[in-house]
Amino acid sequence: MAAALQRGLQAEGFAVDLAHDGEQGLHEARHGEYDVVVLDIMLPRLSGYNVCKQLRAEENWVPILMLSAKDGEYDMADGLDLGADDYLTKPFSYVVLVARLRALLRRDSGRRPAVLGAGDLSLDPARRRVLRGETAIELTPREFALLEFLMRRRDEVVSKAEILEHVWDTFDTDPNVVEVYVGYLRRKIDGPFGRNALQTVRGAGYRLAGDGG
């Protein structure tokens, strides 16, 4: 099920790390920078309850959606009381899961801006919407994920390796795929508007201009 969820969320444009036990999940959550955590309760080595409890004790406020076959009202209350932001029982609707994850992203405005901006270019992660001024731009899930990563790092030079790790979630993909998708993005966010926001830094990588180009 974890692998199926990973594939489904990646198809929606999320970059997904998968941990197979509670200790690994706690380590990843402590040392990674995540927008949201989907946390099963019945995990080997360390339960989801304990993972959530330890993160909150360390004042790590990453949004947590608990996912469990335990559907009793006291089980749900325990998860929420320990600091989870939402609780979904199995079997569940994948559509509902994605909707709840997006709702958590919208509510997480204290940690990150709700809408990312670079000049008149804006990206709303929760609503999956991109605007250049008042003009809506349609992107594929992968294009959206690439633009979101670059906008979170605007004015910074990011390498192809960093992009592959965060947007494709792998180092094994041919690096040339990054060039291809950068080209796709330019034709949508820059070309029609006579702008140059997405810039190539020769020998180093790419940079998204904070002023929108």
Side-chain angles (χ1 to χ4, degrees):
M1 189 189 73
L5 277 179
Q6 183 180 38
R7 290 192 299 270
L9 291 172
Q10 286 172 338
E12 294 286 337
F14 293 95
V16 183
D17 291 332
L18 182 60
H20 292 283
D21 63 67
E23 288 186 359
Q24 182 189 357
L26 180 60
H27 176 81
E28 296 283 350
R30 279 172 168 163
H31 300 289
E33 186 176 348
Y34 294 100
D35 297 301
V36 66
V37 170
V38 179
L39 183 61
D40 203 309
I41 291 176
M42 305 294 285
L43 290 172
R45 305 183 72 177
L46 191 67
S47 75
Y49 286 138
N50 285 325
V51 172
C52 182
K53 183 178 180 180
Q54 290 194 40
L55 287 174
R56 295 312 189 225
E58 296 165 9
E59 298 188 353
N60 184 327
W61 306 115
V62 61
I64 294 174
L65 185 152
M66 279 194 166
L67 194 61
S68 179
K70 302 179 73 171
D71 59 357
E73 60 183 16
Y74 291 106
D75 298 309
M76 186 178 299
D78 286 343
L80 296 173
D81 285 345
L82 286 171
D85 299 274
D86 202 353
Y87 191 108
L88 192 59
T89 58
K90 305 174 191 174
F92 58 88
S93 161
Y94 177 74
V95 173
V96 171
L97 172 66
V98 172
R100 290 194 177 191
L101 290 176
R102 289 177 177 163
L104 287 177
L105 290 172
R106 286 195 296 272
R107 285 157 48 186
D108 188 31
S109 57
R111 198 169 63 96
R112 295 189 176 202
V115 178
L116 304 175
D120 65 347
L121 180 65
S122 64
L123 180 148
D124 186 332
R127 293 181 175 85
R128 316 298 287 178
R129 183 172 61 186
V130 175
L131 298 173
R132 175 67 93 169
E134 298 298 320
T135 303
I137 300 173
E138 293 296 324
L139 300 180
T140 67
R142 188 73 70 185
E143 291 166 352
F144 189 95
L146 175 57
L147 181 59
E148 180 179 359
F149 177 67
L150 293 170
M151 291 187 74
R152 291 195 185 280
R153 301 277 297 273
R154 59 190 176 275
D155 284 327
E156 297 180 28
V157 177
V158 293
S159 68
K160 287 183 181 179
E162 288 179 278
I163 292 171
L164 284 174
E165 179 185 4
H166 289 87
V167 178
W168 273 264
D169 223 16
T170 180
F171 291 107
D172 297 330
T173 303
D174 184 346
N176 290 327
V177 75
V178 177
E179 294 181 25
V180 172
Y181 274 84
V182 165
Y184 292 159
L185 265 184
R186 283 183 174 138
R187 288 194 286 273
K188 292 184 177 183
I189 68 171
D190 283 341
F193 306 95
R195 310 295 283 277
N196 184 32
L198 185 43
Q199 303 165 355
T200 299
V201 181
R202 191 173 299 277
Y206 301 96
R207 175 176 55 221
L208 189 99
D211 63 2

